Amino acid sequence: MVELETTVAIEFPQFPKLPAELRLLIWQFALPHRVFEIRRETVSIRQDGEADVTKELDHDAWRVRSSDLVAVLLAPPAIRSVCREARRFASRTGSWKCVGSRPRGTGRVIRLATWFDSSTDTLCFDDSAIQNVPVETTERNGLSIPHVTNPAVTRFYFASSPSSPICISLAALAGASGKFFVEQWKRKRGFWSGVPHYQFYHDSILMHLGRSPKVHEIFGKGTDMCHTLLVDAQDRGKLRQLRKLYVEESDPAFFQRRVADWLEDIINPEEGYVQQCFKDLKDLWLKGQEDVPSSALVLSPDRANIQMRSLIEPGAVLHTIQKFDHAHDWCKETVKAMPDMQLVVHFRLCITNHDHERDQKTKSLEN
């Protein structure tokens, strides 16, 4: 019996001879699908569009990268280093985007930029970036011009065609920023203009993991690694995979059983997680309306009486969001105008490699 030796090809010299349409299709599939988060410390812009390094910028977090909450800048995709054709293809819809600056010495700054591809990457806004929408006034030629620092301004740096998908935390729809989103949707311009796909999330899970092959399989590796992952809440197979990864790969010092149980509840359809999230989305959309009539009933959670409660602070527990009577005619008509949004679960890979941390601790103990 003759045994055949299995070989794996690591080169494909006939690739340049393929039809151009097929080569471009291969490059398209090779592009990574990543998420870039706009956070409070990520973008700081003056009214003229130039980066402003004097306000609303957490320099220390950018410099030291010691915070788990810092947005991670995306590197150019790996295919840009393959050949000239791949580089040109990746640059069709992808480019460097300025997202702020940090100081370097006296009177000098370093501009921070991320690679962003509007055809494959998603912009993600959490509540830390947009929970406050302060109104400022600029005087020019004797005229007072009011302007708002809001997420729409940050899209100045990401304006391209086609526009990228956008994901927003449920907490970001609370308060003044919620009213801003509703108003922008009614105008069909500004922040929502040209957005092909909308997503929202309520729950965010921080993964204190190393960089094992299992982690690389989900979050990617090298320049294509993405520290933020948005998973469809209906994709229970993917959620189970992430729960298993969290249980098996988490740094013991940071592992929390309640997070694992929390993920189990999200996966279990009997818990009604998806239905509850969409109810809360509708409640916040109703609250964000400028013309909420006094006759629109706002009920207590037990529906025992009518009460007017202030909205919760961003990040509070899910079931304390102010409830509306969805059977009310005004509520039903208002909800019909709400954009079609997909519910996702937000996972963030800790920027610290916890395999490296454990190795360092082991070496110190051995010494």
Side-chain angles (χ1 to χ4, degrees):
M1 181 177 178
V2 179
E3 293 185 2
L4 299 178
E5 183 179 353
T6 303
T7 60
V8 179
I10 59 175
E11 295 182 356
F12 182 44
Q14 302 303 318
F15 182 83
K17 298 181 181 180
L18 293 175
E21 296 82 358
L22 185 55
R23 295 200 308 272
L24 295 180
L25 188 61
I26 292 174
W27 294 133
Q28 179 64 44
F29 278 107
L31 286 174
H33 290 71
R34 301 179 295 182
V35 180
F36 180 72
E37 290 193 81
I38 298 291
R39 307 185 63 81
R40 181 183 299 278
E41 67 269 28
T42 307
V43 178
S44 182
I45 307 173
R46 295 186 307 188
Q47 191 177 12
D48 60 6
E50 291 298 323
D52 181 357
V53 300
T54 62
K55 298 184 297 182
E56 302 178 8
L57 195 62
D58 188 347
H59 299 307
D60 291 334
W62 279 109
R63 184 186 300 115
V64 183
R65 288 292 182 90
S66 60
S67 171
D68 291 327
L69 301 180
V70 172
V72 178
L73 300 177
L74 303 180
I79 71 167
R80 288 186 82 245
S81 302
V82 175
C83 64
R84 184 178 300 175
E85 181 183 68
R87 184 182 183 88
R88 284 200 303 264
F89 180 83
S91 299
R92 284 183 176 182
T93 51
S95 61
W96 289 105
K97 307 293 183 180
C98 178
V99 291
S101 308
R102 64 179 173 85
R104 181 181 182 180
T106 304
R108 299 179 62 191
V109 296
I110 299 176
R111 285 184 177 271
L112 300 172
T114 186
W115 182 270
F116 190 83
D117 190 328
S118 60
S119 67
T120 57
D121 297 333
T122 300
L123 275 179
C124 185
F125 296 81
D126 78 337
D127 60 287
S128 74
I130 48 183
Q131 63 185 17
N132 297 313
V133 188
V135 177
E136 301 178 0
T137 301
T138 302
E139 290 191 6
R140 287 187 178 180
N141 299 325
L143 297 176
S144 296
I145 304 175
H147 59 94
V148 180
T149 302
N150 56 44
V153 178
T154 66
R155 295 204 67 198
F156 171 85
Y157 284 131
F158 294 86
S160 59
S161 181
S163 296
S164 63
I166 284 181
C167 182
I168 304 176
S169 70
L170 197 62
L173 291 173
S177 56
K179 292 184 181 296
F180 162 77
F181 285 125
V182 171
E183 183 62 27
Q184 291 287 307
W185 175 256
K186 287 181 178 179
R187 295 179 181 180
K188 298 295 178 66
R189 61 186 179 90
F191 179 83
W192 297 108
S193 178
V195 177
H197 187 58
Y198 314 112
Q199 297 174 324
F200 77 99
Y201 72 92
H202 182 276
D203 293 304
S204 180
I205 293 91
L206 181 61
M207 313 281 277
H208 292 280
L209 309 177
R211 300 298 183 264
S212 70
K214 292 181 180 179
V215 175
H216 287 153
E217 180 183 352
I218 295 179
F219 289 92
K221 61 181 179 179
T223 60
D224 291 341
M225 174 175 282
C226 183
H227 285 70
T228 300
L229 196 64
L230 304 174
V231 181
D232 188 339
Q234 303 283 7
D235 189 351
R236 295 187 174 89
K238 188 73 169 182
L239 291 173
R240 288 193 183 94
Q241 184 183 11
L242 280 157
R243 181 188 181 278
K244 182 179 180 182
L245 185 73
Y246 178 83
V247 173
E248 295 179 354
E249 301 282 330
S250 286
D251 188 331
F254 292 92
F255 176 81
Q256 297 183 32
R257 170 54 56 182
R258 66 178 182 84
V259 175
D261 294 340
W262 184 12
L263 281 170
E264 190 65 35
D265 290 341
I266 292 175
I267 297 168
N268 187 354
E270 296 180 359
E271 294 294 329
Y273 173 80
V274 174
Q275 294 81 356
Q276 185 61 53
C277 284
F278 275 102
K279 286 181 180 178
D280 290 336
L281 173 65
K282 293 176 183 178
D283 283 328
L284 289 176
W285 181 263
L286 292 168
K287 180 63 179 177
Q289 302 293 321
E290 291 289 346
D291 54 348
V292 179
S294 58
S295 59
L297 300 179
V298 182
L299 305 180
S300 60
D302 59 2
R303 303 181 67 88
N305 53 16
I306 300 175
Q307 60 179 7
M308 295 297 294
R309 292 189 304 161
S310 300
L311 277 178
I312 60 170
E313 292 293 327
V317 295
L318 182 65
H319 299 292
T320 57
I321 292 176
Q322 189 176 22
K323 306 297 179 181
F324 279 79
D325 180 8
H326 293 180
H328 191 280
D329 290 340
W330 177 84
C331 292
K332 289 190 291 186
E333 289 300 317
T334 304
V335 168
K336 286 182 181 179
M338 189 174 70
D340 184 16
M341 302 184 75
Q342 175 192 8
L343 174 63
V344 296
V345 183
H346 179 280
F347 293 87
R348 182 184 289 119
L349 179 63
C350 179
I351 61 178
T352 300
N353 184 339
H354 286 272
D355 280 343
H356 178 71
E357 289 289 310
R358 286 198 290 270
D359 291 343
Q360 291 293 329
K361 291 179 182 178
T362 303
K363 290 181 180 179
S364 63
L365 291 175
E366 291 176 351
N367 294 333

